[in-house]
C-alpha cells in the first residue's frame, strides 16, 4: 500500500499540467447518448439501453480522470435527457430548458465540447426537430465552434463504409447544412450492447472508437463561457434575475 501510494504521489508530482474538459452530450431518445458518455468516462455510470423510451430522466454529471503522458485530464461529462421519449410528458422545449437550468445551478461556467449524437446515419424528421429545438437555446455563431456529430450503431460498418457515410451526410441536401456547422467533425462509432463488447470481433473496435472520442475531447482545449453561448427567453431572463435578486 505504501509503495502504491508513493508511486501515485510521484506520478502526480511529475505531471506538467492538469487540464479540465467540460463535455455535454445531446440527442434524441434511443440515439445512444448514455452509451457514448459511459465509453468516454470508462465506466458504466449512466443507465443505457437500446430503447425508444428514455432511461435518462434528468441531466446528470459524472467525472473521470485520464492520464496521457505527463498530462492529467479531468473529464466532467453532462448527460442530458433524450428528446422525443414516448413516455415523457415534457416537451422538447421544457427538457432543453431544464438542461440550461442544470448548467447554471451546478456552476458549470465553461464548455469545451458539445457532442450531438444520432443513430447510424438516418437523419429523420425527429432528428431534425430535436436539433432545431436544441440550437434554439444557443447562440449559433459560438456553439458551432465546439460542436461535433457522433453517429452511433456503426459497429458493423467498416472503415470504407464509414467514410462513405460521412461523405453522404456532408453532401445530402437533408443533412448538409447540419454537418457544415459541426466544426469539430463527424465521428461514426460502434458501441454494441455491453454483454457482447468483450467479444474479440468487437473489443478492438470499441477501444479504437473510444480512444477517437477521448482524443477529440483532449484536443478541445478552447473553452467558451456558458453565458456566451446560451440564450434566454424573456421569461427565463426575468426568472434568473429574480433568483439573483
Amino acid at each position: 500500500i505504501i509503495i502504491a501510494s508513493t508511486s501515485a504521489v510521484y506520478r502526480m508530482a511529475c505531471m506538467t499540467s492538469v487540464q479540465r474538459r467540460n463535455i455535454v452530450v445531446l440527442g434524441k431518445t434511443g440515439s445512444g447518448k448514455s452509451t457514448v458518455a459511459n465509453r468516454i468516462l470508462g465506466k458504466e455510470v449512466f443507465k443505457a439501453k437500446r430503447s425508444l423510451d428514455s432511461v435518462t430522466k434528468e441531466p446528470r454529471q459524472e467525472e473521470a480522470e485520464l492520464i496521457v503522458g505527463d498530462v492529467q485530464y479531468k473529464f466532467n461529462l453532462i448527460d442530458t435527457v433524450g428528446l422525443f421519449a414516448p413516455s415523457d410528458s415534457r416537451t422538447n422545449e421544457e427538457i432543453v430548458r431544464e438542461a440550461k437550468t442544470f448548467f447554471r445551478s451546478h456552476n458549470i461556467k465553461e464548455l469545451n465540447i458539445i457532442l450531438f449524437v444520432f443513430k447510424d446515419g438516418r437523419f429523420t424528421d425527429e432528428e431534425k426537430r430535436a436539433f432545431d429545438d436544441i440550437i434554439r437555446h444557443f447562440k449559433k455563431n459560438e456553439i458551432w465552434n465546439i460542436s461535433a456529430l457522433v453517429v452511433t450503431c456503426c459497429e458493423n460498418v467498416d472503415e470504407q463504409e464509414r467514410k462513405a457515410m460521412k461523405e453522404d451526410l456532408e453532401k445530402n441536401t437533408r443533412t448538409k447544412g447540419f454537418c457544415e456547422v459541426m466544426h469539430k467533425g463527424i465521428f461514426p462509432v460502434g458501441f454494441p450492447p455491453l454483454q457482447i463488447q468483450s467479444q474479440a470481433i468487437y473489443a478492438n473496435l470499441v477501444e479504437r472508437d473510444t480512444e477517437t472520442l477521448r482524443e477529440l475531447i483532449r484536443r478541445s482545449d478552447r473553452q467558451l463561457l456558458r453565458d456566451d453561448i446560451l440564450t434566454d427567453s424573456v421569461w427565463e431572463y426575468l426568472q434568473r434575475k429574480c433568483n439573483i435578486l
Side-chain angles (χ1 to χ4, degrees):
I1 295 173
I2 294 175
I3 293 174
S5 177
T6 304
S7 174
V9 171
Y10 175 76
R11 193 165 60 248
M12 291 295 293
C14 291
M15 296 290 169
T16 59
S17 68
V18 176
Q19 299 189 23
R20 190 172 187 85
R21 299 287 185 268
N22 287 329
I23 310 134
V24 180
V25 183
L26 299 167
K28 192 170 78 73
T29 294
S31 62
K33 293 185 302 82
S34 297
T35 298
V36 167
N38 287 336
R39 290 307 311 171
I40 290 170
L41 295 178
K43 49 188 178 181
E44 302 298 312
V45 290
F46 299 110
K47 289 183 180 179
K49 67 177 181 178
R50 295 190 175 185
S51 167
L52 292 176
D53 203 7
S54 179
V55 294
T56 305
K57 303 302 181 185
E58 58 185 20
R60 271 186 61 198
Q61 66 176 331
E62 294 287 346
E63 294 190 348
E65 293 185 0
L66 183 68
I67 296 173
V68 179
D70 57 0
V71 180
Q72 180 187 21
Y73 293 92
K74 292 189 175 183
F75 288 178
N76 179 47
L77 192 148
I78 300 99
D79 186 22
T80 58
V81 179
L83 305 184
F84 290 107
S87 66
D88 199 325
S89 60
R90 291 171 294 182
T91 65
N92 289 346
E93 185 82 8
E94 289 170 329
I95 289 171
V96 178
R97 267 201 239 115
E98 286 176 11
K100 290 163 65 177
T101 301
F102 181 88
F103 296 153
R104 290 185 170 119
S105 64
H106 287 72
N107 204 30
I108 301 165
K109 294 182 178 179
E110 302 92 18
L111 298 177
N112 291 87
I113 187 164
I114 299 175
L115 301 178
F116 288 87
V117 181
F118 82 88
K119 196 174 177 179
D120 65 4
R122 292 192 296 271
F123 197 74
T124 65
D125 287 339
E126 279 198 348
E127 258 85 15
K128 185 180 186 307
R129 285 173 56 198
F131 173 68
D132 290 341
D133 288 340
I134 289 168
I135 65 171
R136 190 177 298 124
H137 292 264
F138 290 88
K139 297 174 184 175
K140 299 176 185 60
N141 290 340
E142 294 295 338
I143 186 179
W144 306 142
N145 293 320
I146 60 170
S147 294
L149 178 63
V150 179
V151 185
T152 60
C153 296
C154 295
E155 54 266 25
N156 296 313
V157 182
D158 64 27
E159 282 305 303
Q160 188 98 10
E161 291 170 319
R162 288 185 179 199
K163 183 179 179 182
M165 176 195 294
K166 289 169 64 175
E167 290 174 353
D168 182 62
L169 287 169
E170 290 167 342
K171 293 177 182 177
N172 190 299
T173 54
R174 187 178 181 82
T175 53
K176 181 179 179 181
F178 179 57
C179 292
E180 283 177 348
V181 296
M182 295 290 115
H183 291 180
K184 289 287 185 180
I186 303 171
F187 301 87
V189 297
F191 301 138
L194 197 59
Q195 60 268 29
I196 66 170
Q197 280 188 17
S198 59
Q199 293 180 12
I201 191 173
Y202 293 121
N204 291 338
L205 172 70
V206 168
E207 287 306 314
R208 186 193 65 193
D209 286 347
T210 298
E211 179 53 30
T212 296
L213 294 182
R214 287 177 178 169
E215 183 183 5
L216 168 68
I217 293 165
R218 293 197 301 270
R219 287 191 282 106
S220 300
D221 54 356
R222 180 190 176 192
Q223 288 185 327
L224 292 181
L225 293 176
R226 174 199 66 203
D227 291 336
D228 284 346
I229 61 175
L230 290 178
T231 61
D232 277 340
S233 66
V234 173
W235 173 245
E236 286 175 313
Y237 175 79
L238 290 175
Q239 231 180 1
R240 194 152 57 89
K241 287 300 180 184
C242 288
N243 288 336
I244 292 172
L245 296 173

